[in-house]
Amino acid sequence: MTVIDISPSVMQFLLAFIVVAPLLGALAALLPAPPGLKGRNPDQAVLRHGVTVTGAVLVAAIVLAAGFDHDHPATMQATTDISWIPALDVRIHLGIDGISLPLLVLTALLTFLCALYSYFKLPAGPSPKAFVALVLVLESGTLATFAVLDLLLFFLAFEMVLIPMYFLIARWGGDQRQAAAWKFILYTLLGSVVMLLGLLLIGLKSGTFDMVALATDNGRGLTTSVQVIAVLAIGLGLAVKTPMWPLHSWLPDAHTAAPTVGSVLLAGVLLKMGTYGFVRILLPVAPDGMRTFAPYLAAFAVVGIVYGSLACLALARTGAKGDLKRLIAYSSVGHMGFVLLGIATMTPTGVNGALFANIAHGLITGLLFFLVGAVKDRYGTVDLDTLAGATGAALYGRAPRLGALLAFAAVASLGLPGLAGFWGEMLTLFGAYSPAEGLSRPAFRTFMAIGAFGTLLTAAYMLIVVRRVCMGEHAPHSRLSPDEQSQQAPRTADGPQSAGTAGSQPSGAAGSPSSETAGPRTATTPQLADIHPYEAAAWTPLVALTVLAGLWPAVLLGLTDPAVQQLLAGGKS
């Protein structure tokens, strides 16, 4: 069944266009704008170019999803297979199935929303041309990672995103951006070197780099020792990108320093590249090796769940001077731990839960980073003690719609039933209750119990964040002196912008904080600009999809389940 009937050749073109168009758009962004398209100034023209290209890619992704045969989601569709390097049997092989299609659409959506947001709120930094070009190269590499079906092409696409993300952090980031960018690039490059050795080992030992052929073979052409070595090497590279505890330490620094759109893309799509590699490559290609390491992967996953939650609790406590952006970054360590736990079960239930949690995390955490960026624009800080204040008003009293949206994203992140975050965590825990044959059931049930405890910790720190940031703290309980309170007063809608946002709006852009009045102000509860139209446009799709995925999970599970069943069966339906 398809929503619209599209010929195979058009489907091929759409997928190729989705992968290549951002790259061509990045090259075009660096060229001078034609006189008739400059608008008010060249900066506005290149930002509009970014919105146009990412919008076209999103439209193509939606049309591709509409033309996808939902009755056969386990079958590779829109495939292109062209010989590239005959001596190594490396081919330009593209295709999508029920596993990769949701990630493809998610990437196209988040990148478009980031481009739209940046048109009105460009982070302070060098030329907008370079910013738009880097975002488009990042999009192309991410989309290619989810679309290619050749191991070496996968590696090239996997690495393609590193350089643009490095520069987005290093040139448009905040405090400590250089150190954070170097930490990001060193960790991921070192992991990638080891991963490349594992990919070459599989290709040379099996005689092909074709991921479909390798998945169909299901490891029968590889000895157990080769599979174990390959899983160890490839798994390390993927675990760094995921990130898995204890290889996660680059993530909080990168998120804290990155600009808002950099954090959204890093959490929303780049982390998914690591978990996608586990599902697409290691589970079907080296099942014996995965079975060997599955208990250890699950153990690291649940430690990450608890560790991430405890780190968030430490940051959220009063007087800790916790950074809200850093807290959300640590929460990603815990959420991705659930994804890894689902993969480690090697069961359809667990892997489907992992894929669902992947999409849910992209939607919810992307929204959270957008909201944290908006809070920083208004207050000039994301220090939790400052945001809580001493007046008892906080966001509910100063920007009620923004506060309500932050509370919504927080309860979605903690896994409230009826929202997207619930189903992924529940299915991964169900998968851990009854893992695949050959895995220790008592061990995985222990992991399940630890993971369930982690959900309680997640609820605890998210509710603390909502209480402090949205409701504030009463003066008797405040640990801030009157002098500190006066120094940390939030910026009002008419107050000066921070240095990081001054001059960041393109000429003539509507919706700047200085152009709106947020209502009456008092000395104790200064009002802030509430949600601007461009913010509503960027955030509404994420809210709607979070609710839709929570109320109607069959939309996503109907795509992933047949593909996962076939993948785990070695290509046999």
Side-chain angles (χ1 to χ4, degrees):
M1 179 192 70
T2 61
V3 177
I4 56 177
D5 190 18
I6 302 178
S7 69
S9 59
V10 174
M11 292 284 284
Q12 289 177 344
F13 170 78
L14 285 172
L15 183 57
F17 173 83
I18 288 169
V19 173
V20 176
L23 201 57
L24 298 177
L27 295 174
L30 299 175
L31 301 174
L37 297 178
K38 283 185 178 180
R40 295 182 178 88
N41 58 56
D43 289 352
Q44 188 188 49
V46 75
L47 292 170
R48 186 171 60 244
H49 170 78
V51 175
T52 302
V53 174
T54 56
V57 171
L58 176 60
V59 170
I62 293 172
V63 174
L64 184 71
F68 186 83
D69 186 356
H70 293 258
D71 289 334
H72 301 90
T75 303
M76 283 295 171
Q77 302 179 34
T79 55
T80 299
D81 192 1
I82 304 170
S83 178
W84 184 32
I85 307 176
L88 296 177
D89 193 29
V90 178
R91 310 181 68 81
I92 299 177
H93 193 181
L94 306 176
I96 54 167
D97 63 358
I99 293 172
S100 53
L101 179 62
L103 290 167
L104 203 76
V105 176
L106 175 68
T107 301
L109 173 65
L110 283 178
T111 312
F112 169 71
L113 297 180
C114 285
L116 180 64
Y117 187 85
S118 298
Y119 178 79
F120 295 96
K121 198 69 179 177
L122 181 70
S127 165
K129 282 189 173 186
F131 178 84
V132 171
L134 289 171
V135 169
L136 291 174
V137 172
L138 184 69
E139 180 183 31
S140 181
T142 309
L143 291 168
T145 301
F146 299 137
V148 298
L149 298 173
D150 182 275
L151 289 180
L152 291 186
L153 279 183
F154 175 86
F155 176 78
L156 292 176
F158 197 86
E159 296 305 291
M160 184 176 168
V161 304
L162 300 186
I163 300 303
M165 181 53 72
Y166 166 81
F167 281 109
L168 285 174
I169 297 172
R171 304 302 299 276
W172 285 270
D175 297 337
Q176 305 296 320
R177 58 182 181 268
Q178 292 291 344
W182 274 110
K183 198 170 186 179
F184 164 77
I185 200 75
L186 288 176
Y187 264 77
T188 49
L189 279 178
L190 288 174
S192 297
V193 169
V194 181
M195 184 175 75
L196 176 60
L197 296 177
L199 294 173
L200 290 173
L201 176 64
I202 287 178
L204 296 175
K205 289 293 184 180
S206 62
T208 181
F209 289 97
D210 186 88
M211 292 160 65
V212 176
L214 289 167
T216 304
D217 187 65
N218 201 219
R220 286 182 285 269
L222 301 171
T223 64
T224 300
S225 59
V226 168
Q227 290 189 37
V228 169
I229 296 171
V231 169
L232 180 61
I234 299 171
L236 279 173
L238 296 174
V240 170
K241 185 66 71 74
T242 297
M244 179 186 78
W245 181 93
L247 304 174
H248 69 284
S249 60
W250 62 269
L251 182 72
D253 292 340
H255 270 310
T256 304
T260 296
V261 295
S263 293
V264 171
L265 293 174
L266 182 58
V269 295
L270 262 68
L271 303 188
K272 312 305 177 285
M273 294 164 63
T275 52
Y276 175 77
F278 276 104
V279 175
R280 177 64 72 198
I281 299 174
L282 293 185
L283 278 177
V285 175
D288 293 337
M290 272 297 293
R291 197 169 286 107
T292 300
F293 284 106
Y296 304 102
L297 180 63
F300 284 127
V302 295
V303 170
I305 293 170
V306 175
Y307 172 83
S309 299
L310 291 177
C312 290
L313 282 171
L315 289 170
R317 64 184 177 87
T318 303
K321 293 291 181 183
D323 185 294
L324 181 56
K325 203 172 183 184
R326 195 174 188 87
L327 184 147
I328 303 302
Y330 271 111
S331 77
S332 291
V333 177
H335 288 305
M336 299 312 289
F338 279 102
V339 177
L340 291 173
L341 177 60
I343 293 170
T345 67
M346 299 184 69
T347 62
T349 300
V351 176
N352 275 305
L355 293 172
F356 199 104
N358 250 349
I359 301 299
H361 179 265
L363 295 172
I364 297 169
T365 308
L367 176 60
L368 277 170
F369 276 117
F370 268 134
L371 293 169
V372 172
V375 169
K376 186 172 183 178
D377 290 338
R378 287 155 173 78
Y379 278 84
T381 181
V382 284
D383 176 77
L384 276 167
D385 289 334
T386 303
L387 296 179
T391 64
L395 278 182
Y396 283 162
R398 297 165 182 162
R401 288 188 291 274
L402 182 61
L405 200 52
L406 181 62
F408 167 83
V411 297
S413 182
L414 64 83
L416 184 73
L419 298 176
F422 170 73
W423 295 103
E425 294 181 2
M426 184 193 72
L427 289 173
T428 56
L429 295 177
F430 279 175
Y433 182 81
S434 183
E437 185 179 352
L439 299 178
S440 171
R441 183 164 292 189
F444 272 82
R445 288 186 177 178
T446 302
F447 299 146
M448 180 197 73
I450 297 173
F453 175 66
T455 63
L456 300 179
L457 295 178
T458 302
Y461 71 73
M462 278 299 179
L463 292 176
I464 290 173
V465 167
V466 170
R467 178 181 62 80
R468 298 195 66 208
V469 178
C470 295
M471 302 177 187
E473 294 175 345
H474 296 292
H477 296 92
S478 174
R479 300 188 181 186
L480 300 178
S481 67
D483 290 340
E484 291 174 322
Q485 293 171 20
S486 63
Q487 292 172 2
Q488 296 181 356
R491 299 161 190 256
T492 66
D494 293 335
Q497 289 186 339
S498 65
T501 59
S504 61
Q505 305 245 3
S507 176
S512 62
S514 61
S515 66
E516 294 191 11
T517 301
R521 301 177 180 83
T522 67
T524 56
T525 58
Q527 295 295 302
L528 302 173
D530 217 328
I531 298 176
H532 302 304
Y534 72 91
E535 293 173 330
W539 303 342
T540 299
L542 301 179
V543 174
L545 289 173
T546 298
V547 175
L548 176 65
L551 296 178
W552 197 9
V555 173
L556 185 55
L557 293 175
L559 281 173
T560 62
D561 185 52
V564 168
Q565 296 275 2
Q566 181 166 304
L567 206 67
L568 294 176
K572 302 182 292 293
S573 57

